[in-house]
Amino acid sequence: MIFRCVKPRVDGKANGQYLPIRQTDNKPKQFLYISLMISKEQAKEKISSLVQRFDEQKEFYGRQDYNETLTRRDFIDPFFKALGWDVDNEQGYSESYREVIHEDKIKIGGQTKAPDYSFRLGGGNRLFFVEAKKPSVLVKDDVAPAYQLRRYGW
């Protein structure tokens, strides 16, 4: 259980979280401060390495059998982690307080839809959605995925 947590930042300012390390019957919990600081340089290095890896293996990633789930795991998740988002809920929050919800449910035109990622502020206020597509999908040429991507922006 996490006592207090502050979102990691990429601007170099100190942030961190307090994790319980011990609790005895009649004594309060003791906490250990864990730093979650990430620098702009570290974020840039991570993102640059993702871009380089994709460029070096573009032919492989563009194949039909390289699917959306692999794209999310190999590129999209690490990208947003490098920017300081808690994509895997490592902070242990309940769903209503998570920064990132996978397959969030939203109402669009009377129907329930599920964008791949919903990025939120504390308390569940949605900031933006991300809809993942495998690299072989040409959004500018294929109407269906282009429509799906755009509908979350309205």
Side-chain angles (χ1 to χ4, degrees):
M1 170 157 81
I2 294 175
F3 176 73
R4 185 184 72 99
C5 188
V6 180
K7 184 179 180 307
R9 297 169 60 153
V10 295
D11 61 3
K13 294 183 180 175
N15 258 326
Q17 62 185 353
Y18 287 92
L19 300 175
I21 56 172
R22 190 176 91 188
Q23 180 177 0
T24 59
D25 291 336
N26 295 322
K27 295 182 180 179
K29 289 183 181 178
Q30 296 179 3
F31 294 90
L32 173 66
Y33 183 79
I34 305 294
S35 174
L36 295 176
M37 199 164 73
I38 182 170
S39 70
K40 286 182 184 179
E41 291 77 25
Q42 289 171 318
K44 185 177 178 182
E45 281 179 29
K46 179 62 179 171
I47 293 168
S48 293
S49 73
L50 291 170
V51 171
Q52 181 179 359
R53 181 167 36 121
F54 185 85
D55 283 344
E56 289 171 354
Q57 301 176 47
K58 192 181 295 188
E59 186 176 314
F60 171 76
Y61 295 127
R63 294 183 354 205
Q64 287 294 321
D65 60 339
Y66 186 78
N67 63 35
E68 181 180 307
T69 300
L70 290 171
T71 304
R72 291 171 66 175
R73 295 289 181 226
D74 291 347
F75 294 101
I76 299 171
D77 290 358
F79 173 79
F80 283 107
K81 286 178 187 179
L83 294 177
W85 288 95
D86 187 8
V87 174
D88 296 324
N89 191 33
E90 293 177 14
Q91 298 172 27
Y93 286 144
S94 66
E95 185 164 342
S96 58
Y97 292 100
R98 293 179 185 188
E99 290 180 352
V100 180
I101 300 291
H102 299 274
E103 304 290 332
D104 195 9
K105 305 293 183 249
I106 60 172
K107 289 279 187 187
I108 297 178
Q111 296 180 343
T112 302
K113 301 295 179 183
D116 292 316
Y117 301 84
S118 175
F119 289 83
R120 307 178 325 167
L121 290 175
N125 297 324
R126 292 179 176 128
L127 291 177
F128 62 94
F129 303 110
V130 172
E131 179 62 30
K133 295 293 171 208
K134 62 185 182 177
S136 63
V137 173
L138 301 176
V139 177
K140 71 175 193 159
D141 298 332
D142 194 343
V143 175
Y147 174 74
Q148 183 185 21
L149 294 170
R150 288 182 181 103
R151 108 179 123 204
Y152 296 126
W154 300 106

